[in-house]
Amino acid sequence: METGSPDDTGTAGATRAADRAGPADQPSPAGAAGSAGPAREEPVWIGLPPGLLRMRRLLLVVWLGLLTLAAGVLPALFLDPLWAALALLPLALLAWGWVMLGRNWRSWRYAERADDLLISRGVLWREETVVPYGRMQLVEVTSGPVERHFGLASVQLHTAAAATDATIPGLDPAEAERLRDRLTELGEARSAGL
């Protein structure tokens, strides 16, 4: 299974972390009872719905399909029929983009923890954003015309520091609204406690 797939619930990461940990890092049976402090729980990662992947792949096929037609038909009509071989370039790009979109989609995931929201993404360069609930200033749900057609919405998180602004794309609208309401509620509770 590829890292960051929607089926990955963090257990593989916990296993890898335990494999790298030395004997001093391993909890002892006596320490597990609570004398060593609270155990850090692995977050439960939630992947993006498959509708986002379908939408992105359809857009890829439409745009590169038009480019393939233009690269194959126009040179064949106005130049020589051998120039129609130029259509192979957009087709190769389509095949490569199809695979890359799948890998990118599997890399996106998010997890709600007690004090913050984690957003992880990236295939070659992994990026994990931690957004503390108390720092959230605005949580908005957006859905453009193409997203609405596919029944998708995005959650945009705005914080005091622009560097920690984050987006979770391609969610089911009901999940996006639930997440917005929950994050707003937790943000208000945490900022009131500051």
Side-chain angles (χ1 to χ4, degrees), residues 30-101:
S35 63
R40 184 99 188 187
E41 209 176 291
E42 276 295 313
V44 177
W45 292 101
I46 302 168
L48 299 180
L52 178 66
L53 180 60
R54 281 193 298 273
M55 178 189 77
R56 288 180 174 174
R57 283 183 169 167
L58 180 66
L59 290 173
L60 177 75
V61 168
V62 167
W63 289 110
L64 286 180
L66 291 173
L67 185 61
T68 301
L69 282 174
V73 172
L74 293 177
L77 286 176
F78 296 112
L79 298 171
D80 190 271
L82 290 176
W83 284 95
L86 286 176
L88 294 177
L89 292 173
L91 285 177
L93 189 59
L94 175 68
W96 178 76
W98 187 274
V99 172
M100 290 299 107
L101 284 175

